[in-house]
Amino acid sequence: HINKQTHKQKILLAEDDGSMRRFVEIILQRAGYDVSTAEDGLAAMQIALEKQFDAVIADAVMPNLTGFDLCRILRENPNYQNIPIIILSGFDNQGETNLADAYLLKGNNLKESLLETLSNFFAPEELVVC
């Protein structure tokens, strides 16, 4: 049994709703991702400065720093200028989506859309057909 994926992608998840945070964390862990969680944007920013992540998933509306604020701050950091940032929202108001790489609605198909979005970001480059 050879593990093809030697490096587990590290994902930072920022979500202030405890049950939603746990739900998304379980989805990501079952899909094979290494997940770190934060209860708001400020905590997420502190974690992001201590560790390097392959992607960030942030709730749009959180106390202290919103997902959009977090996105703006991370984009100013050279380590986070090119990594995928996904905003999750309960509302169909995309706000400042130019900062994020994807904007997903928290709905019935969140699991499928989240995993599909991540796999598109992490797809091996050699599979890309020009």
Side-chain angles (χ1 to χ4, degrees):
H1 170 61
I2 298 164
N3 183 3
K4 288 184 182 136
Q5 194 178 2
T6 51
H7 165 73
K8 260 189 168 186
Q9 268 103 7
K10 294 182 181 67
I11 296 181
L12 175 57
L13 170 64
E15 166 64 71
D16 61 316
D17 180 290
S19 56
M20 178 55 92
R21 184 170 63 241
R22 186 74 189 122
F23 173 69
V24 176
E25 181 184 14
I26 290 168
I27 289 171
L28 296 170
Q29 286 172 337
R30 286 191 180 150
Y33 296 106
D34 179 359
V35 185
S36 297
T37 61
E39 66 278 0
D40 63 38
L42 191 59
M45 188 187 72
Q46 290 164 339
I47 294 168
L49 295 175
E50 293 164 18
K51 279 174 75 179
Q52 179 65 38
F53 292 91
D54 299 301
V56 176
I57 299 171
D59 184 18
V61 181
M62 293 183 288
N64 299 322
L65 279 177
T66 68
F68 296 113
D69 292 335
L70 177 64
C71 198
R72 196 176 307 107
I73 291 165
L74 290 178
R75 286 297 186 224
E76 291 172 6
N77 180 324
N79 293 333
Y80 288 96
Q81 281 172 349
N82 300 313
I83 70 151
I85 299 179
I86 300 170
I87 298 285
L88 300 181
S89 178
F91 308 101
D92 198 3
N93 166 19
Q94 300 205 359
E96 306 164 61
T97 46
N98 57 327
L99 292 168
D101 296 285
Y103 184 95
L104 303 177
L105 277 177
K106 293 177 189 174
N108 297 336
N109 64 344
L110 176 62
K111 177 182 174 181
E112 291 76 14
S113 54
L114 184 58
L115 294 179
E116 183 182 335
T117 302
L118 284 169
S119 68
N120 288 341
F121 287 134
F122 295 139
E125 316 245 329
E126 62 268 17
L127 293 179
V128 176
V129 179
C130 297

